[in-house]
Amino acid sequence: MNIRHIRLEDAEQFAHLLVSIDSSNMMLFDPGERKTSIDQEEQRIEKILLQSNSTIIVAEEDDRLVGYVMILGGTTARNQHSAHIVTGVVEEHRGKGVAERMLKEAFRWAKEVGVTRLGLTMIKHNEKAYKLYKKLGFEVEGERVHSLMVNGKPVNELYLYKLLS
């Protein structure tokens, strides 16, 4: 398993990875809802890589992307030290330490570029993700009640954060 930062030439594979992970029903997008073209994904990757406090870390196995941690840094003087993260791993690689390895690289990179706070949102009933985030030092900041509709039913989101020293 190779953990690395994304490159522009990964755009097509990354677009497919996002669609695949959306099918888990634990992400913001419903399965099949994401309609991003390869060109749009390439533009998004380029924009992220141009920000000094943003990046995408990917997990690659046998020349195939199997997971990602997107780190989106703040864009104003007051929040450049803070970043929002989104993590996803394809189903067949979950529970194998892939997300943990990517997140540890995210922590290392964030400290290197001056990001001192990471935040994320997650569906409350995603117990495996919650256990991982808690293990890695994230704390619950709050809960947003009925913030998402999943399969026609309201679900709550948890807001988590981690301070990097």
Side-chain angles (χ1 to χ4, degrees), residues 142-161:
E143 181 171 345
R144 206 159 163 221
V145 177
H146 289 203
S147 61
L148 300 173
M149 295 296 285
V150 177
N151 297 327
K153 296 183 179 159
V155 297
N156 296 2
E157 279 181 295
L158 293 180
Y159 282 68
L160 281 74
Y161 74 96

Side-chain angles (χ1 to χ4, degrees), residues 39-69:
D39 286 342
Q40 288 170 318
E41 203 56 58
E42 192 172 283
Q43 289 171 15
R44 180 165 71 145
I45 291 168
E46 187 172 31
K47 183 179 177 186
I48 288 170
L49 293 179
L50 286 173
Q51 278 186 256
S52 63
N53 62 350
S54 297
T55 193
I56 301 170
I57 296 165
V58 294
E60 179 181 50
E61 185 173 80
D62 300 325
D63 296 322
R64 178 178 164 243
L65 298 184
V66 297
Y68 71 92
V69 173

Side-chain angles (χ1 to χ4, degrees), residues 74-88:
T75 57
T76 68
R78 291 184 178 193
N79 71 1
Q80 286 180 348
H81 72 285
S82 181
H84 182 80
I85 66 170
V86 180
T87 305

Side-chain angles (χ1 to χ4, degrees), residues 102-133:
M102 290 187 301
L103 285 163
K104 285 180 177 177
E105 169 58 16
F107 302 159
R108 185 204 63 76
W109 177 86
K111 287 180 190 178
E112 186 178 287
V113 300
V115 171
T116 59
R117 183 186 197 281
L118 296 174
L120 63 91
T121 61
M122 59 167 286
I123 292 176
K124 184 178 180 178
H125 63 263
N126 188 346
E127 293 174 17
K128 289 181 182 179
Y130 180 76
K131 285 179 185 174
L132 173 63
Y133 291 132

